[in-house]
Amino acid sequence: MSLSTLTKPWEAMSYGFLDGSAKRELRRKMLKSVAVPGCQMPYASREVPMARGWGTGGLQVSLTLVNPQTRVKVIDQGADDSVNAASIRRFIARVAGTPTTMDTLEADLIQSRHRIPEEILREDQILVLQVPNPEPLRPVQPNMSIARQMHADADYGRMWLQLYEQIVRSGRVMQGASYPSLVHGRHVMTPSPIPRWDVPKLHMAKHLTILSAGREKRIFAVPPYTRVEPLVFSDVPYKVEEHGHLTCTRSGTTGFFMNEIPRDDGTSSFEVSDSEWGVKTIRARDGDGESRGETWYKNGEMPQ
Amino acid sequence: MTLALDAPRIVETRPLLEVHGVSKSYKSIRAVRNVSAHAYQGEVLGIVGESGSGKSTLLRMMNLEEIPETGSYTLDLPDVSGNLFELDRFARRMLCATKIGIVYQNPHLGLLMKHSSSGNVAERLLVAGERSFATLRQAATEALDASEFPLDRLDAPPIELSGGMQQRVQLAKAIALEPALLLLDEPTTGLDVSVQALVLDTLKRLQQDRQITMVIVSHDLGVIRTLADRVMVMRRGEVVETGLADQIFQDPQHPYTQQLVHAKL
Ligand SMILES: Nc1ncnc2c1ncn2[C@@H]1O[C@H](COP(=O)(O)OP(=O)(O)OP(=O)(O)O)[C@@H](O)[C@H]1O
Ligand SMILES: [Mg+2]
């Protein structure tokens, strides 16, 4: 017997880029975060060949979860074809040999920045959200160790005070994206910078959502069938962006979250933000068959 | 015909607040040593004493901000039982928010200087679980009104207000939830005499209208004399004398109290 028979053949890197111990740590932290919904778990964020702040947190989670059969979809601001989404998708496929897709319904794992797809996700799907600032208390408590104590005590008076002040000052709640939400009646989390439109999709969702911040080294999760309630006063209802009546100029679909495209004459036109939904709509219109799944919003409204 | 007379009964009420044998040290400094105190429902207990005698420390313990090495603390209120020093942090915070109000000598300790004044008051109700904006707004306005805060400055941040107004915001915050116990740490120190008189008036009126039990700390005997029913004199962390206010002021027993009263008069 020689030493070479006992060693594995040389490889340029481990499967899925991250080494075994990194993946083991991430899995443990994911299990913990599923066990305590909405609670931020610290983890040792590893180096990946991408700058911090470009989705390294989400990428590490995806790399840990994939196997060669996992079908991966990556979106950035709703689009599959933006540079960042394409790069991440290509990277995962290259280091983990995974098939990729743009179709929400076909994907096993969806890594996303800023959006949740419009089609309803299923029990067998995982959504990985990239998070820049995981701490909802940061605007009201700059000292992070006190903030952690506040989470431990469920001491969220200051968060509510912030909403009170916004209504007093501007007559309405100004918080747009990252709307603070109470998970499982216990921890307040920031649902990453998804628009208010997307927050209700997390409430009692069938799928698992994992939120990961690479720069801040925090991971938290919304397990399937978990309550996610935006912080709202009982007499000031939660409002999503008024996109329900807008029509996409490219696909003609109505009732979904739109990107505003400014025009030269000062007016704007709108394009559906979930690009794959737009593509499917166009395909259906052109008679290439119906591939659209059921959506969370129906006629521009989220059914209760 | 026989007259059925009820036998005279001894009225037995327990004090609302009872602190027993508390001691607190900071490293080698023994700030409070074996102090006991009590206050009945609706009573105003005044605490006087020289600087560094442990008055503020005692008050902080009554607000459950600090836990002594020894001693017990009870409040005779519905849903409250046992030694309050043994509560966990969460229970302590809820109790403080709903049953106890405090006004600090330094408004920076009690107020969020950059939030609106009404927001400062509303925060108390938010901590206690109130979730209706209209109710919050109204309760904050009423509490500020009750402490005679000018309502046209409702949403001004305390940092832009005068010292007297800041104390009124603190007071409004303290009384917003109709606490059973109001703790006041030198509420008038640092205010000029006329403003001092106004704040004292407000406190006196609140005491008469609402029958709140109060503990007021001051080194100003005039303030104590105006408000307190019973007085406790502290020196070097210990209680040297307690008694009815009149008794202490007319006939002080302990040499230190005598010195204090005579220096004032
Ligand atoms: N956080 C602390 N750390 C260390 N020592 C403290 C602390 N708080 C109080 N002390 C000490 O405890 C003693 C009592 O202080 P305390 O503030 O209770 O006095 P006081 O009677 O309120 O005085 P004053 O009238 O000047 O406000 C002082 O010697 C003080 O230095
Ligand atoms: Mg003091």
Side-chain angles (χ1 to χ4, degrees):
Chain A
M1 198 194 295
S2 72
L3 206 53
S4 61
T5 57
L6 292 169
T7 37
K8 284 194 279 180
W10 186 86
E11 281 175 278
M13 60 178 176
S14 338
Y15 174 76
F17 191 79
L18 297 175
D19 60 70
S21 65
K23 285 197 253 188
R24 188 169 59 190
E25 195 216 346
L26 270 154
R27 286 193 193 107
R28 284 183 173 168
K29 292 298 157 65
M30 279 188 243
L31 284 173
K32 273 193 173 185
S33 61
V34 167
V36 192
C39 180
Q40 297 167 53
M41 302 293 167
Y43 72 101
S45 183
R46 309 295 157 126
E47 287 291 332
V48 283
M50 200 165 73
R52 293 268 160 93
W54 290 87
T56 54
L59 182 60
Q60 290 175 71
V61 168
S62 300
L63 291 174
T64 304
L65 290 175
V66 288
N67 64 36
Q69 281 78 48
T70 313
R71 202 167 280 279
V72 177
K73 169 181 166 83
V74 182
I75 39 182
D76 184 347
Q77 299 262 30
D80 293 81
D81 50 6
S82 74
V83 176
N84 200 25
S87 310
I88 294 177
R89 185 170 52 236
R90 199 152 2 107
F91 181 74
I92 297 174
R94 190 164 140 203
V95 298
T98 58
T100 59
T101 182
M102 294 198 180
D103 188 339
T104 303
L105 301 180
E106 271 183 14
D108 298 312
L109 182 133
I110 302 173
Q111 180 176 334
S112 169
R113 171 176 171 264
H114 291 199
R115 281 306 315 278
I116 297 176
E118 300 289 3
E119 288 161 288
I120 296 176
L121 298 179
R122 301 178 308 264
E123 272 104 340
D124 60 303
Q125 293 177 303
I126 299 178
L127 176 67
V128 179
L129 287 172
Q130 302 167 199
V131 185
N133 299 311
E135 184 50 77
L137 291 170
R138 192 186 288 273
V140 293
Q141 177 52 264
N143 183 332
M144 286 301 104
S145 61
I146 297 181
R148 269 197 290 285
Q149 270 187 23
M150 290 164 78
H151 280 295
D153 292 349
D155 178 4
Y156 296 122
R158 295 275 175 95
M159 295 256 47
W160 287 97
L161 179 58
Q162 196 188 16
L163 300 177
Y164 171 93
E165 299 269 275
Q166 287 177 11
I167 300 178
V168 164
R169 241 181 294 117
S170 334
R172 65 191 174 89
V173 174
M174 300 301 284
Q175 186 85 34
S178 313
Y179 197 98
S181 306
L182 187 66
V183 184
H184 197 52
R186 175 60 182 81
H187 283 92
V188 169
M189 70 155 186
T190 166
S192 87
I194 56 173
R196 279 176 297 180
W197 180 272
D198 285 350
V199 178
K201 296 176 182 175
L202 290 171
H203 179 65
M204 295 309 272
K206 296 186 191 121
H207 69 278
L208 165 66
T209 306
I210 293 182
L211 302 100
S212 176
R215 184 159 32 93
E216 305 287 331
K217 308 180 177 61
R218 290 286 182 280
I219 202 163
F220 50 108
V222 179
Y225 302 101
T226 302
R227 280 173 289 138
V228 176
E229 293 146 321
L231 301 189
V232 277
F233 291 113
S234 55
D235 49 354
V236 183
Y238 181 76
K239 280 209 184 84
V240 301
E241 290 81 357
E242 289 174 352
H243 288 194
H245 63 283
L246 299 176
T247 301
C248 171
T249 45
R250 282 171 76 178
S251 65
T253 188
T254 300
F256 298 99
F257 192 77
M258 298 284 165
N259 293 334
E260 188 171 351
I261 318 277
R263 277 194 291 225
D264 290 342
D265 61 359
T267 61
S268 5
S269 64
F270 295 91
E271 263 178 30
V272 71
S273 159
D274 182 345
S275 65
E276 188 57 18
W277 179 258
V279 169
K280 284 180 172 184
T281 309
I282 291 170
R283 252 190 250 133
R285 188 185 64 194
D286 296 350
D288 289 347
E290 180 59 81
S291 54
R292 287 175 291 182
E294 204 186 335
T295 53
W296 264 293
Y297 280 79
K298 298 188 168 61
N299 304 319
E301 300 259 352
M302 182 90 184
Q304 290 307 308
Chain B
M1 201 172 94
T2 50
L3 259 174
L5 279 178
D6 282 342
R9 266 170 307 173
I10 295 167
V11 183
E12 264 191 53
T13 43
R14 299 213 310 126
L16 179 118
L17 168 151
E18 213 167 356
V19 177
H20 194 78
V22 295
S23 298
K24 173 87 192 169
S25 303
Y26 298 102
K27 298 204 181 100
S28 61
I29 303 166
R30 294 177 66 194
V32 172
R33 309 183 205 184
N34 195 23
V35 166
S36 301
H38 64 271
Y40 286 92
Q41 160 69 39
E43 194 181 34
V44 179
L45 174 67
I47 303 178
V48 289
E50 62 190 0
S51 189
S53 57
K55 306 180 299 288
S56 298
T57 308
L58 182 61
L59 215 61
R60 283 203 301 277
M61 290 192 284
M62 287 178 180
N63 195 37
L64 295 173
E65 276 169 66
E66 257 177 284
I67 303 299
E69 288 99 45
T70 60
S72 66
Y73 178 19
T74 52
L75 285 178
D76 188 24
L77 293 171
D79 318 324
V80 181
S81 63
N83 182 0
L84 304 184
F85 291 137
E86 284 162 7
L87 292 178
D88 62 53
R89 278 222 320 253
F90 188 74
R92 224 189 290 160
R93 198 167 54 83
M94 272 330 272
L95 183 79
C96 288
T98 52
K99 311 281 192 214
I100 308 175
I102 187 161
V103 174
Y104 295 92
Q105 175 177 358
N106 182 351
H108 283 265
L109 288 176
L111 296 177
L112 298 165
M113 281 295 164
K114 290 179 180 160
H115 286 74
S116 66
S117 295
S118 69
N120 268 286
V121 181
E123 194 201 2
R124 290 285 284 202
L125 293 106
L126 285 166
V127 170
E130 178 56 58
R131 293 292 178 260
S132 150
F133 179 77
T135 311
L136 286 167
R137 190 95 183 126
Q138 195 189 341
T141 312
E142 278 169 12
L144 283 163
D145 197 28
S147 52
E148 281 149 25
F149 179 86
L151 290 186
D152 54 331
R153 305 296 298 275
L154 199 59
D155 295 321
I159 195 123
E160 293 173 8
L161 301 174
S162 70
M165 283 199 245
Q166 289 178 350
Q167 288 308 63
R168 284 165 195 285
V169 179
Q170 276 210 81
L171 190 58
K173 181 175 176 170
I175 60 170
L177 279 174
E178 312 245 330
L181 176 64
L182 184 57
L183 306 173
L184 304 152
D185 193 358
E186 316 258 7
T188 58
T189 313
L191 304 180
D192 80 56
V193 184
S194 59
V195 181
Q196 216 174 68
L198 286 174
V199 172
L200 284 182
D201 271 357
T202 308
L203 286 174
K204 202 149 184 75
R205 205 178 36 72
L206 277 175
Q207 209 276 319
Q208 279 161 3
D209 293 356
R210 306 197 183 188
Q211 293 289 304
I212 308 177
T213 310
M214 293 188 194
V215 179
I216 177 163
V217 163
S218 185
H219 57 247
D220 184 341
L221 288 185
V223 171
I224 298 291
R225 188 166 219 168
T226 322
L227 287 173
D229 301 314
R230 229 152 35 75
V231 178
M232 192 164 106
V233 185
M234 286 183 74
R235 191 182 187 210
R236 299 195 191 133
E238 288 175 314
V239 179
V240 295
E241 188 167 355
T242 55
L244 294 176
D246 290 343
Q247 187 187 329
I248 295 280
F249 286 109
Q250 303 304 331
D251 183 22
Q253 297 296 315
H254 191 275
Y256 171 68
T257 320
Q258 291 171 351
Q259 225 180 341
L260 206 68
V261 171
H262 289 130
K264 172 74 187 172
L265 298 176

